[in-house]
Amino acid sequence: AGNSTAGRRVQDISAEGALVRDNFDIFAATGGQNRAYILALNDISVNDGTLNLALKADADYPSVAGIEVFCRAGC
C-alpha cells in the first residue's frame, strides 16, 4: 500500500527549535494521495536571518513538496 493510507507517513515539524506540529499525517490531513495541504505556521520569530525548519519521522520518512514563506515585518 506504500504511503497510500493514514498513518504510513507521520512526522513532527519544528520551526526555530519549537515543535509546531506533533505527529502530522499528510494523508489524514488531506484525505488522500497527491493532494496539496496548506499548513500555516504563524508568528514564527526568526532572530538570526535564517528560518530553521526540522522534520522528524515518526513513520516512514518526512516529505515536503514545497514551501512558501511570507515575511510580515522587519525583513
Side-chain angles (χ1 to χ4, degrees), residues 20-60:
V20 293
R21 291 294 182 278
D22 188 31
N23 297 316
F24 180 72
D25 184 335
I26 187 67
F27 189 94
T30 63
Q33 273 186 296
N34 301 318
R35 296 182 182 179
Y37 185 78
I38 297 172
L39 178 63
L41 304 176
N42 297 311
D43 302 319
I44 304 296
S45 295
V46 176
N47 298 314
D48 62 359
T50 301
L51 173 62
N52 296 291
L53 299 174
L55 307 173
K56 179 184 162 274
D58 291 324
D60 206 350

Side-chain angles (χ1 to χ4, degrees), residues 1-9 25 27 32-34 60-61:
N3 293 318
S4 60
T5 60
R8 295 290 190 132
R9 178 174 289 154
D25 184 335
F27 189 94
Q33 273 186 296
N34 301 318
D60 206 350
Y61 59 91

